Amino acid sequence: AQSVTQLDSQVPVFEEAPVELRCNYSSSVSVYLFWYVQYPNQGLQLLLKYLSGSTLVKGINGFEAEFNKSQTSFHLRKPSVHISDTAEYFCAVSDWAGRRALTFGSGTRLQVQP
Amino acid sequence: ETGVTQTPRHLVMGMTNKKSLKCEQHLGHNAMYWYKQSAKKPLELMFVYSLEERVENNSVPSRFSPECPNSSHLFLHLHTLQPEDSALYLCASSQIRSGADTIYFGEGSWLTVV
């Protein structure tokens, strides 16, 4: 079985400050890792994903994430946030062990303040 | 037009009603999904239809009944629901190749059971 833990339910941050949203996973097999964003009243949109290769993955809107196998983490970062980044962020894992879908974390609400 | 379209966007129904949620994907994908999103809980996978196979989460009550007449359309039939079933129901689709497939979400159907 696989699981995803997002350690922070809410992260308040001031505009133009850096931010890190934490994600840890557990799985008995190799995994693929994803970050999705959900803006108010919208569905989820893919930010970035890790498949293999370089452990630093760059996504849309200036976000990046680093895969750390030894710490089973996939933290999301942005060096300078904007008001428009206010949204819910979900980490997800797929282990392709017969399941054809993602397991999601409970989400982190990023609140960017002026 | 978005790739995954859900109707209705909002639905209020009584516990004795029968209603259906509809989803249509315009991306040519071969897999479709229903997820349930409740406040402060991880997204819960309810059903997956892929390559003409149905996979379901055994914890989903029988008052939820999916139907997938073809690869572009997915329904969720609802009957005798409970107030705790009030949630955002998200439809999604993907092209099955490997566990690294990106899943594309619709904007969701807000369901309120009174």
Side-chain angles (χ1 to χ4, degrees):
Chain A
Q2 55 189 358
S3 66
V4 178
T5 302
Q6 291 185 245
L7 299 166
D8 306 298
S9 60
Q10 291 190 58
V11 174
V13 63
F14 288 107
E15 195 173 17
E16 298 183 6
V19 70
E20 178 180 83
L21 306 183
R22 297 181 292 170
C23 172
N24 287 87
Y25 69 92
S26 66
S27 176
S28 57
V29 297
S30 296
V31 297
Y32 302 117
L33 294 156
F34 303 77
W35 275 100
Y36 279 82
V37 59
Q38 185 178 32
Y39 297 105
N41 300 315
Q42 294 187 25
L44 277 71
Q45 176 185 357
L46 181 70
L47 266 181
L48 49 80
K49 61 182 178 182
Y50 171 78
L51 310 181
S52 63
S54 173
T55 57
L56 184 63
V57 180
K58 293 190 182 298
I60 63 171
N61 300 338
F63 283 93
E64 63 182 31
E66 186 160 17
F67 170 61
N68 188 318
K69 187 174 181 180
S70 62
Q71 297 186 5
T72 61
S73 67
F74 190 54
H75 300 333
L76 181 70
R77 302 187 184 99
K78 186 169 183 179
S80 176
V81 296
H82 302 286
I83 295 286
S84 59
D85 292 323
T86 295
E88 191 90 17
Y89 291 80
F90 294 91
C91 183
V93 61
S94 168
D95 64 11
W96 196 232
R99 277 175 64 91
R100 298 172 185 269
L102 301 177
T103 299
F104 285 87
S106 54
T108 297
R109 173 79 176 160
L110 177 63
Q111 297 170 300
V112 182
Q113 304 165 0
Chain B
E1 183 179 87
T2 59
V4 181
T5 305
Q6 291 187 240
T7 55
R9 293 294 315 279
H10 299 272
L11 176 63
V12 179
M13 60 185 289
M15 290 188 285
T16 58
N17 291 159
K18 289 185 180 181
K19 298 285 184 183
S20 296
L21 305 180
K22 178 183 175 182
C23 177
E24 183 174 0
Q25 59 99 357
H26 312 276
L27 301 168
H29 289 163
N30 61 9
M32 296 188 76
Y33 312 77
W34 279 116
Y35 279 88
K36 177 183 179 182
Q37 185 177 22
S38 304
K40 302 191 184 302
K41 291 184 179 180
L43 271 74
E44 176 188 0
L45 177 65
M46 301 177 73
F47 302 101
V48 181
Y49 279 87
S50 63
L51 305 173
E52 301 180 358
E53 174 189 14
R54 181 175 117 180
V55 177
E56 56 191 90
N57 182 340
N58 291 329
S59 68
V60 176
S62 60
R63 54 187 183 268
F64 294 92
S65 174
E67 179 188 0
C68 190
N70 54 60
S71 60
S72 299
H73 294 86
L74 184 65
F75 295 89
L76 187 63
H77 302 301
L78 317 168
H79 61 99
T80 60
L81 295 191
Q82 303 298 311
E84 61 264 28
D85 296 323
S86 298
L88 178 66
Y89 289 84
L90 291 164
C91 176
S93 72
S94 72
Q95 181 64 22
I96 292 286
R97 297 187 192 92
S98 70
D101 312 312
T102 297
I103 294 183
Y104 294 84
F105 286 84
E107 295 186 326
S109 294
W110 284 99
L111 174 66
T112 302
V113 181
V114 297

